[in-house]
Every structure is written in C-alpha cells, then in structure tokens.
Amino acid sequence: MTRRLLPITLTLIFLVLPPALAAAHEQGSAASSDITVSGEVLDLACYVSDGAKGPQHQACAVSCAQAGQPMGLLTAEGKIYILFADHADGSPYDKTKALAGAKAEIKGEPAEKGGLSGLTVHAVKKI
C-alpha cells in the first residue's frame, strides 16, 4: 500500500508545489511595489461637486463612504489618489471608510491610467 501511495504523493507534490511557490512569489513582489502616502481621506462625491473636505465635513464624509461613495486621498502637495479595495483582502479599504474627512497614512500599490492616479489599499492608519 505504501509503495502505491509514494508515486501519487510525489506527483501531487510536483503538481501543487510550483504553482503555490509562484503565487507566493507574486504576492511578495506586489507588496514590494507598495508605497506609503499621507493625506486627507476624501469623500470624492462631495469633494468634486462642492469642494467639501476637512473636519467640518467629516460626519458627512464617513456617511457617504459607508454608503459606497468613492474615496480618495488628498496629499499635502494637492495630488489625489482614488482609493481601491484589494481583491484579495478588502478589509484595509473598509477600515479607511471610518477615516473619511480625517488625516491618514495609507500603504498600497499605486497605479496610473488616463491621467488618474489610484492606490490599492493594503494598510491604513490614522495620523
């Protein structure tokens, strides 16, 4: 019985192990491309339409973010990153919703396309 299981076990190891190692390598390289950006978490719907931001808009911003309005991060230099949830783990993005209207430090993977800058949120903390 053991002799029959050995070839099956070895075959499974050689079929499963390489893709698992490749996935782990990809995940490691994605984390290495992360950047950390500080600024105010914006409720983009109110910011773009009315310029609303800051502590006086915080309660509305949190409410809008919780309702699903898009969020952004406004840096001290005036650059805005659209914030995205990571497909693998959206919990850091969900935590960001509670910080709408407040200053935060966000670590994530940057992307740019068509003049837009985005940041896939991997970690967030209030500052």
Side-chain angles (χ1 to χ4, degrees):
M1 176 94 175
T2 306
R3 286 185 177 194
R4 277 193 246 158
L5 288 177
L6 184 60
I8 293 171
T9 303
L10 289 175
T11 301
L12 286 174
I13 288 172
F14 286 111
L15 289 175
V16 173
L17 191 57
L21 290 175
H25 175 71
E26 285 178 26
Q27 195 172 28
S29 64
S32 67
S33 66
D34 281 1
I35 62 171
T36 301
V37 183
S38 297
E40 180 183 338
V41 178
L42 297 173
D43 152 28
L44 288 176
C46 291
Y47 179 76
V48 172
S49 65
D50 299 324
K53 65 183 184 90
Q56 68 280 7
H57 180 69
Q58 191 168 11
C60 179
V62 169
S63 177
C64 287
Q66 296 291 350
Q69 293 291 348
M71 293 187 298
L73 185 70
L74 175 63
T75 69
E77 298 78 30
K79 183 171 183 171
I80 297 175
Y81 290 88
I82 299 171
L83 301 178
F84 305 112
D86 189 318
H87 289 97
D89 180 11
S91 61
Y93 178 84
D94 290 336
K95 290 177 187 173
T96 306
K97 292 177 183 181
L99 299 178
K103 303 278 186 191
E105 181 179 276
I106 296 181
K107 180 178 178 181
E109 184 177 354
E112 291 198 23
K113 187 131 188 142
L116 296 174
S117 296
L119 194 61
T120 299
V121 179
H122 291 150
V124 62
K125 71 177 182 178
K126 186 175 182 175
I127 54 174

